[in-house]
Amino acid sequence: QVQLVESGGGSVQAGGSLRLSCAASGYTYDNYYMGWFRQAPGKEREGVAAISRTSGSTYYADSVKGRFTISRDNAKKAVYLQMDSLKPEDTAMYYCAAGWTGSLSQVVAGLRPPDYWGQGTQVTVSS
């Protein structure tokens, strides 16, 4: 049974930082890219960042480039999203995801949906 469990969400003031974590189980973790997505109330889900199987490549949405950093630890079967310089517009439910096919840019652009999804963790940024 595939499980992706996010943690680390919370409330923070603008300019602050949060670090999201996602623990994976139930599949061959090393064979899948990992990604983070988010969905704000009344908006469509959007890709935030993705990382390749070996951490050799990363890709970010323009809206978070330079502020967010995705990383993974294959030994721990975990993926992380370090979020710095947070803005109120970053407020959303954040989801961890894993996928088999597609380039990282396609994944973040929403052109190649991942295969597995977590339940999400809420991030709220106040001004």
Side-chain angles (χ1 to χ4, degrees):
Q1 180 183 357
V2 174
Q3 279 195 315
L4 295 172
V5 181
E6 302 93 338
S7 61
S11 297
V12 65
Q13 288 192 328
S17 298
L18 283 174
R19 186 185 191 225
L20 305 183
S21 299
C22 173
S25 62
Y27 69 101
T28 307
Y29 180 79
D30 294 8
N31 290 350
Y32 287 73
Y33 70 78
M34 298 298 295
W36 287 95
F37 295 75
R38 66 186 182 187
Q39 187 167 21
K43 294 188 177 181
E44 292 188 356
R45 185 171 58 198
E46 62 175 352
V48 174
I51 188 167
S52 63
R53 295 162 179 78
T54 61
S55 303
S57 298
T58 57
Y59 192 88
Y60 297 91
D62 288 343
S63 58
V64 306
K65 202 172 295 182
R67 300 188 297 121
F68 290 11
T69 303
I70 187 171
S71 61
R72 66 187 290 168
D73 185 333
N74 285 1
K76 295 182 178 180
K77 295 185 179 181
V79 63
Y80 309 98
L81 186 68
Q82 177 66 42
M83 305 186 295
D84 298 317
S85 302
L86 282 161
K87 304 176 181 180
E89 51 262 45
D90 294 319
T91 294
M93 185 72 79
Y94 282 72
Y95 298 91
C96 169
W100 177 260
T101 61
S103 68
L104 298 185
S105 60
Q106 289 177 325
V107 170
V108 173
L111 299 176
R112 289 290 189 117
D115 299 290
Y116 306 126
W117 294 88
Q119 294 300 306
T121 186
Q122 178 67 38
V123 172
T124 302
V125 184
S126 58
S127 57

